[in-house]
Amino acid sequence: MCLAVPGRVLDIGEKDGTRMATVDFGGVQKEVCLEYLPDLQVGEYAIVHVGFALQRLDEESAKQTLELFAQLGMLQEEFGDPWEQAAAVGGDPWPFTDDPDLEPGPASEPAPALAAPQEEGRP
Amino acid sequence: MKYIEEFQDPDLARRLLDDIHATVTRPWALMEVCGGQTHTIIRHGIDQLLPEQVELIHGPGCPVCVTPLEVIDKALEIASRPDVIFCSFGDMLRVPGTGRDLFQVRSEGGDVRVVYSPLDALRIAQQNPKRQVVFFGIGFETTAPPNAMTVHQAKKLGIPNFSLLVSHVRVPPAIEAIMRSPSCRVQGFLAAGHVCSVMGVREYPELAARHRVPIVVTGFEPLDILEGVRRAVRQLERGEHTVDNAYARAVRPEGNPAALAMLEDVFEVTDRAWRGIGVIPDSGWRLSERYRDFDAEHRFSVTGINTLEPAECRSGEVLQGLLKPHECEAFGTLCTPRSPLGATMVSSEGACAAYYLYRRLELGTVPSAKAANPAVAAPTAASAPLEASPVV
């Protein structure tokens, strides 16, 4: 949660009197608040934490970090389905039976993030 | 230097390691403060690539892990109420309170929602004016400014049904507490890069001078860690103890002035209990008087909670760098990600989770705490000695 992810500003607007942007994180786009970096411009990179741009980053550093995060599965951890990840960690059924948009059913195979140790790389 | 080919830039990694090997003449113990750094270190086996004399001690820098059990239990209690929509970041879902977690509250019918940003929780409050929306505001100096801005917005926009359950913590008092501990072995710190992106480095020179420890602001990529270690070891060998910024691409010395101003407006410093560690003076933030109406603890009467920390859990010692995760008897047996005793086993930045995920462990069928329920019985790890870590 403390690890901010670099992203590139795609467009800038205003919402409820607050400066907001659409930011691209290696293919995933999120709405991001620019109040803490008010002079950030379209095309620039910044490190973004829980929807807030916190500090500028040069393009090369940003791209290298994004590439590394993708390799490490951290983008999945940050932007994937948190309930699915939590279910995988605990081995619990997912989705919940009262989810209106989802078919109830057993948990899928534990997947990313904090699932039990993966088979690959084992002795 | 096995596995070094897996580094993003193996040649640079080798040069940094060569330089560290050439510099070290005596044993040194360094603490990486950030849990993200711990995961990088364990995942890439950096601790095993370093000279034997350089020991990396894992610090308390996982906000999920240090959130006190009492606050988790309050969150569970509030989230269980039928008139409440409880919003949280995803990494809190599996953190064990006394006997259950947020995932279980949701499965029992509680309206628990995961948001990407605290502003999403504010939006949910706007869309559900007849219900109370509570956001779980935990985290270090990186997360506090977004939460501060959200409360500021709630006040500005007049959204009465939004509140924050606050448990923010600050890094410098934790460093102070670690250095004051009689059992402290730490001789240098790798400071958490993203915390410094917000706070700058102004809080560190006095700490470094008073305790005579080098403090090197460090990122969390493998090469960042090696560079942080290299600079810290160089200082120690020379008898220096200054603040050094090895993460200049993301950290300005002054931090982020706008974020600092908002923090000062919305929060005030308070004593804070750290899970497994105890109360550290001035180590937290709470909402200042102007924003007290948005404090969930004032809005909801949450009393009569009896917290019960598992006696076998030694995460407090892990968080203070006094114990390595695999040295805990419960590690991988009584305590696994599926059946955690403490938050350090389930947080994405927890030290125990890092060891469980990335170290090679002999799998066996050891009875776990929840073995009576096959649905949650976890693959467990025997207490075999840890081998070298591959890069997965």
Side-chain angles (χ1 to χ4, degrees):
Chain A
M1 193 183 80
C2 258
L3 295 186
V5 178
R8 179 173 180 266
V9 178
L10 298 179
D11 61 54
I12 294 174
E14 195 179 298
K15 196 171 195 176
D16 292 333
T18 302
R19 191 171 160 84
M20 302 291 289
T22 307
V23 173
D24 178 79
F25 303 93
V28 180
Q29 293 179 10
K30 289 280 182 188
E31 193 178 40
V32 164
C33 179
L34 297 188
E35 286 292 304
Y36 291 143
L37 280 183
D39 54 350
L40 197 67
Q41 299 299 321
V42 170
E44 287 192 290
Y45 288 81
I47 55 172
V48 175
H49 179 55
V50 296
F52 284 71
L54 292 178
Q55 202 57 268
R56 269 191 176 77
L57 203 61
D58 64 272
E59 182 173 348
E60 190 187 350
S61 300
K63 285 181 172 171
Q64 279 180 6
T65 302
L66 267 177
E67 190 183 328
L68 182 79
F69 280 9
Q71 285 170 10
L72 297 181
M74 288 168 62
L75 292 182
Q76 168 67 19
E77 200 173 289
E78 181 82 5
F79 300 118
D81 185 332
W83 287 105
E84 189 180 321
Q85 292 174 20
V89 169
D92 286 312
W94 171 258
F96 295 114
T97 50
D98 60 344
D99 277 330
D101 302 330
L102 297 165
E103 287 294 319
S108 55
E109 280 302 303
L114 282 180
Q118 300 126 16
E119 284 306 308
E120 57 180 20
R122 267 179 197 300
Chain B
M1 293 187 191
K2 48 191 172 182
Y3 311 122
I4 199 168
E5 277 64 32
E6 304 288 343
F7 278 70
Q8 191 178 31
D9 184 340
D11 291 337
L12 179 54
R14 197 176 303 276
R15 287 205 300 277
L16 291 170
L17 276 163
D18 286 346
D19 191 73
I20 295 167
H21 278 266
T23 305
V24 168
T25 63
R26 282 170 286 168
W28 300 112
L30 307 176
M31 175 175 276
E32 86 275 1
V33 172
C34 170
Q37 293 169 336
T38 301
H39 273 248
T40 300
I41 288 163
I42 303 306
R43 182 164 203 153
H44 290 84
I46 290 173
D47 51 337
Q48 295 167 338
L49 292 169
L50 291 171
E52 273 186 18
Q53 298 104 312
V54 179
E55 182 187 3
L56 291 180
I57 297 175
H58 315 312
C62 165
V64 174
C65 304
V66 301
T67 301
L69 185 60
E70 187 187 1
V71 175
I72 304 281
D73 283 347
K74 282 181 181 174
L76 297 171
E77 179 70 27
I78 293 171
S80 301
R81 298 188 180 196
D83 61 327
V84 166
I85 301 172
F86 193 86
C87 299
S88 168
F89 296 131
D91 43 11
M92 295 305 289
L93 295 177
R94 278 295 175 192
V95 177
T98 302
R100 56 184 183 153
D101 57 30
L102 281 172
F103 192 94
Q104 282 169 278
V105 169
R106 171 72 178 82
S107 67
E108 290 160 11
D111 195 345
V112 179
R113 303 189 191 181
V114 173
V115 293
Y116 164 67
S117 163
L119 288 177
D120 296 339
L122 193 60
R123 202 161 300 134
I124 291 171
Q126 285 174 299
Q127 292 162 352
N128 296 273
K130 292 182 178 171
R131 299 182 67 191
Q132 287 290 324
V133 174
V134 181
F135 181 68
F136 202 175
I138 73 143
F140 283 98
E141 291 94 328
T142 330
T143 323
N147 291 348
M149 174 68 77
T150 304
V151 174
H152 177 80
Q153 286 283 92
K155 188 178 173 81
K156 190 174 84 175
L157 299 172
I159 302 174
N161 59 323
F162 177 84
S163 60
L164 193 68
L165 180 61
V166 193
S167 189
H168 282 300
V169 278
R170 303 170 59 234
V171 167
I175 290 180
E176 174 74 29
I178 286 164
M179 290 309 297
R180 282 174 176 267
S181 165
S183 47
C184 174
R185 296 187 297 118
V186 180
Q187 293 160 297
F189 285 95
L190 308 182
H194 286 156
V195 164
C196 297
S197 291
V198 172
M199 302 302 291
V201 298
R202 67 201 166 97
E203 296 174 286
Y204 290 133
E206 198 265 338
L207 267 176
R210 186 150 40 85
H211 295 291
R212 303 181 67 81
V213 285
I215 300 178
V216 182
V217 179
T218 306
F220 43 82
E221 294 174 38
L223 292 173
D224 289 329
I225 305 284
L226 289 179
E227 176 62 6
V229 170
R230 191 180 74 91
R231 294 195 191 194
V233 166
R234 285 203 154 196
Q235 281 204 44
L236 287 165
E237 289 284 342
R238 292 173 180 165
E240 298 171 354
H241 37 80
T242 64
V243 178
D244 189 5
N245 183 4
Y247 193 37
R249 66 183 188 276
V251 174
R252 316 272 182 276
E254 70 278 12
N256 183 318
L260 289 169
M262 185 62 74
L263 280 175
E264 192 167 332
D265 179 45
V266 175
F267 291 125
E268 61 190 20
V269 169
T270 184
D271 296 348
R272 181 70 74 192
W274 295 50
R275 188 169 189 172
I277 296 176
V279 174
I280 301 177
D282 295 337
S283 68
W285 276 304
R286 65 181 175 195
L287 288 166
S288 61
E289 191 60 43
R290 286 186 298 284
Y291 294 91
R292 200 55 56 82
D293 288 347
F294 295 92
D295 188 336
E297 290 203 57
H298 284 252
R299 191 169 296 191
F300 298 90
S301 172
V302 186
T303 55
I305 289 178
N306 291 314
T307 60
L308 185 62
E309 195 82 65
E312 304 91 345
C313 184
R314 300 177 70 186
S315 60
E317 291 164 81
V318 171
L319 288 165
Q320 294 171 81
L322 304 175
L323 186 79
K324 289 270 164 59
H326 64 283
E327 293 166 354
C328 171
E329 284 186 8
F331 178 83
T333 54
L334 271 178
C335 184
T336 67
R338 286 194 181 190
S339 175
L341 293 176
T344 48
M345 183 53 95
V346 281
S347 167
S348 60
E349 289 157 49
C352 300
Y355 274 71
Y356 193 85
L357 272 172
Y358 303 132
R359 288 293 196 228
R360 291 182 177 187
L361 298 168
E362 296 294 330
L363 283 183
T365 314
V366 180
S368 75
K370 293 186 180 176
N373 180 357
V376 293
T380 53
S383 55
L386 298 170
E387 296 176 21
S389 165
V391 177
V392 181

